[in-house]
Amino acid sequence: MTDTSQALAQAHFVRAAQRFEHSPISQQLAALPDKVFSLLTLTADQHWLDFGAGTGAISAPLAAQVKRVTALDTSAAMLEQLTAKNIANISALEHDIFCGLNQTYDGVISSMALHHVADIPRLLKCMQQCLKENGQLALIDLYSEDGSFHGDNQGKGVLHFGFDPQELLEEAAKAGFKNLSYREIFSIAHKNGRTYPMFLLLAQA
Ligand SMILES: C[S@@+](CC[C@H](N)C(=O)[O-])C[C@H]1O[C@@H](n2cnc3c(N)ncnc32)[C@H](O)[C@@H]1O
């Protein structure tokens, strides 16, 4: 991410944080965790990393099923909303994943954050390195779109107009992941009248 797009994304999430969970899109996405979690192996002794956790749409329900969730995000404003929920087993971590992580996790999950990250191969490598052996990876984002989903892509720090999940899968394999698969997991009805499918990519370290 360039300094400019990073600054634009930061400013966008400062503006968006308070109302984020009330947006029609976030409200639809509240149904996502159940769909995703039914495809993961979640146990009460696990520690998960939620990359780009935001206000906790994934972290909060995940924390009810595992021992601990580290909610990593670069936006203090988004994490503030999550911290205000006072969920004891979630640790908010304002951090740049490219600066490294000093522990390993049973699983890494990320929803709607990848499209803000310029260097996806490097991100996948970081995710692979911070997982325990056979640790689970679950990545959720939009299928390739024409840029109409976010509208002001530059102002919102959007660096990818969704992804071709097959290409992402191939990048994840290069990063060392195995048992890779993907499927359509959800479809967002947008106020612009269009629907935008989302994929879930699953893999193991
Ligand atoms: C669209 S929100 C999604 C939040 C949450 N995962 C959800 O599903 O509601 C994207 C989040 O990714 C975060 N983000 C963007 N770039 C990031 C980066 N390089 N590292 C960590 N978080 C990032 C943003 O600050 C924002 O909170």
Side-chain angles (χ1 to χ4, degrees):
M1 203 181 215
T2 64
D3 287 351
T4 311
S5 60
Q6 200 162 14
L8 287 168
Q10 284 283 3
H12 165 66
F13 285 110
V14 166
R15 289 190 302 272
Q18 267 193 332
R19 297 283 310 151
F20 188 79
E21 290 189 354
H22 304 287
S23 82
I25 289 175
S26 292
Q27 288 183 348
Q28 290 176 60
L29 288 177
L32 188 62
D34 278 351
K35 289 178 189 290
V36 174
F37 295 172
S38 67
L39 297 166
L40 302 176
T41 304
L42 299 179
T43 59
D45 58 347
Q46 292 174 340
H47 184 182
W48 278 70
L49 177 73
D50 181 3
F51 173 80
T55 59
I58 296 286
S59 291
L62 182 59
Q65 301 207 28
V66 300
K67 185 175 182 189
R68 191 167 159 213
V69 176
T70 294
L72 182 152
D73 205 290
T74 44
S75 168
M78 293 291 272
L79 287 177
E80 229 171 75
Q81 299 295 315
L82 172 56
T83 306
K85 292 177 183 160
N86 281 320
I87 302 172
N89 61 340
I90 297 181
S91 314
L93 179 63
E94 186 190 339
H95 183 68
D96 179 352
I97 196 169
F98 293 131
C99 294
L101 290 165
N102 57 8
Q103 74 176 99
T104 54
Y105 302 90
D106 298 292
V108 172
I109 192 164
S110 180
S111 179
M112 295 297 272
L114 262 60
H115 57 250
H116 293 291
V117 179
D119 193 342
I120 296 294
R122 188 173 168 212
L123 176 65
L124 290 166
K125 198 85 198 150
C126 284
M127 289 174 163
Q128 208 275 344
Q129 284 166 355
C130 78
L131 276 164
K132 294 177 186 166
E133 196 180 348
N134 296 323
Q136 300 167 77
L137 177 74
L139 301 178
I140 303 145
D141 213 308
L142 299 168
Y143 278 83
S144 300
E145 47 106 13
D146 60 2
S148 57
F149 182 84
H150 290 92
D152 179 10
N153 290 294
Q154 199 188 3
K156 293 178 179 173
V158 175
L159 301 176
H160 304 270
F161 297 169
F163 296 90
D164 174 342
Q166 180 60 34
E167 286 176 11
L168 194 59
L169 181 151
E170 286 162 19
E171 285 301 338
K174 282 187 213 159
F177 283 101
K178 61 192 182 199
N179 297 332
L180 295 124
S181 67
Y182 65 86
R183 70 198 70 203
E184 186 173 327
I185 191 78
F186 200 74
S187 193
I188 300 177
H190 199 284
K191 65 180 180 202
N192 67 12
R194 298 169 63 172
T195 56
Y196 294 83
M198 298 170 74
F199 64 83
L200 166 68
L201 186 151
L202 295 173
Q204 272 187 302

